Amino acid sequence: MPDEADAFSLNYAQARAKFLEAAETAGLHVTSYPLALPGRDGEALAVDAAWQGPRQATKLLLLSSGVHGVEGYAGSGAQTALLQDSAWMEQVTASGIPVMYVHALNPYGFSHIRRVTQENVDLNRNFQDFTAPLPSNPAYCRLHPLLLPDKWPPTWGNRAAILGLIATKGLRTLQVAISGGQYELPGSMFFGGAAPTWSHRTLRQVLREHTAQVRQLAWIDLHTGLGKRGQCERIFMGSNNDTAGYARANALWGRTAPLVQAGSATSVSAPLTGLVWNAALEECPQAELTGVCLEFGTKPLLEVANALRGDHWLHLHPQTPAALQASIKQRLFDAFFVNTPDWKRNVVAQVRLAAAQALDGLCR
């Protein structure tokens, strides 16, 4: 069995090749959904869905990666490691529960080392009803000029102003205002979009094509960038007033400690809207959704925020000298992926554990 750390990659083309090779070796059927844009190195981009197990089963485990582009480096590695793990593959076969591995939901961001899609949209804020009024975030609009100044790196004055806000308002207050999502400024950070993105539409297509027979859907979505290095927070995937869904999720993944709810005082995540799991509620109305987000910590929150600021500044200033571009991209990469064997093996171990718990629960 290969070293689990070797399942991870440092560019999208390699990550996709490893995933597809592992799926082919395991004898899985893969459905690919190509994006008609080139990758950072000219490679083809696609969302790939690999199916393991019986097609007509009424229960399904969905394991997804790359909602937030650059976060796909961790999720892809974990998915590939599972596909290369003969013990896991045998466990899935013995359970009779199919598993669908959805690789790189945001392939553009994955390849181009961005958290957002090619539309500069945060995919995990994009599942809104765009025929209705969109949420307003005036606090973010006030912060926008400070977050994305005219020059990069920011001046000492800009840094001092932000540190002053943290001192007076608190880091958590700023996190909520900044990362909660905004729909007023298309070129800025955490933009939720004005319409469904390509990745949004593609996820819905994947669900329509593969889950019509499913009555019980367990979904594990993989993310990085929040929390202490190596820490894995299990966040309930669902509305905070969905008590039945929360109870089901805890029955699968909360036996040691209850799942946290996004935006709660104990969570590393802020309150969010327009999340990807809404697609399952709408495209799989016949299925009972039970979901969890696994959030893997990397660097301190302020470092991650500054890396994101730099990337969005670069998006607005494409003529930036190559050396500064490379520095900004490397900083963003490091904010969402820790390139050390211990961190990568921990990601695989936590994903494998959560997946095994889901199988066990679905077998009951």
Side-chain angles (χ1 to χ4, degrees), residues 54-297:
R55 277 287 180 178
Q56 297 309 312
T58 58
K59 300 179 181 181
L60 173 67
L61 170 59
L62 169 61
L63 185 64
S64 58
S65 70
V67 166
H68 284 140
V70 65
E71 299 178 29
Y73 286 93
S76 169
Q79 289 174 313
T80 298
L82 287 186
L83 292 173
Q84 294 172 341
D85 183 345
S86 58
W88 164 253
M89 302 302 281
E90 291 170 5
Q91 182 179 353
V92 174
T93 300
S95 74
I97 304 296
V99 180
M100 182 165 62
Y101 309 81
V102 181
H103 182 266
L105 277 167
N106 173 8
Y108 184 91
F110 194 153
S111 175
H112 288 266
I113 313 181
R114 298 208 72 201
R115 188 174 174 277
V116 294
T117 66
Q118 63 270 22
E119 299 95 343
N120 195 57
V121 168
D122 185 320
L123 183 58
N124 214 24
R125 313 291 186 274
N126 186 239
F127 288 79
Q128 297 280 5
D129 177 1
F130 288 100
T131 66
L134 295 171
S136 178
N137 189 349
Y140 180 88
C141 294
R142 290 192 295 270
L143 288 168
H144 166 74
L146 196 60
L147 294 172
L148 298 178
D150 293 334
K151 296 182 179 180
W152 199 267
T155 64
W156 282 110
N158 178 272
R159 296 175 192 175
I162 288 178
L163 290 175
L165 284 175
I166 293 173
T168 57
K169 302 290 186 180
L171 185 56
R172 179 66 171 182
T173 299
L174 288 187
Q175 180 190 6
V176 170
I178 295 169
S179 69
Q182 56 86 17
Y183 299 83
E184 292 90 351
L185 302 169
S188 198
M189 301 169 64
F190 296 97
F191 177 57
T197 64
W198 177 88
S199 289
H200 175 145
R201 299 191 302 274
T202 300
L203 173 59
R204 289 183 180 274
Q205 183 179 355
V206 170
L207 293 172
R208 284 195 300 270
E209 292 180 0
H210 297 280
T211 67
Q213 77 289 354
V214 173
R215 296 299 179 269
Q216 289 179 256
L217 174 62
W219 186 352
I220 301 173
D221 192 27
L222 306 178
H223 290 262
T224 65
L226 292 176
K228 295 180 180 179
R229 182 189 187 277
Q231 181 184 58
C232 175
E233 180 169 287
R234 295 181 172 194
I235 305 173
F236 171 56
M237 181 191 290
S239 167
N240 287 350
N241 59 15
D242 181 5
T243 55
Y246 184 64
R248 291 195 307 271
N250 273 299
L252 294 186
W253 300 294
R255 298 176 199 172
T256 303
L259 302 188
V260 301
Q261 294 186 309
S264 67
T266 58
S267 178
V268 296
S269 174
L272 309 173
T273 63
L275 302 176
V276 294
W277 50 262
N278 284 293
L281 298 181
E282 296 168 6
E283 299 297 339
C284 319
Q286 80 290 346
E288 183 180 75
L289 172 65
T290 307
V292 68
C293 166
L294 301 187
E295 181 73 54
F296 292 94

Side-chain angles (χ1 to χ4, degrees), residues 292-309:
V292 68
C293 166
L294 301 187
E295 181 73 54
F296 292 94
T298 52
K299 290 181 175 291
L301 179 59
L302 196 54
E303 290 187 37
V304 175
N306 284 331
L308 284 169
R309 292 174 64 206

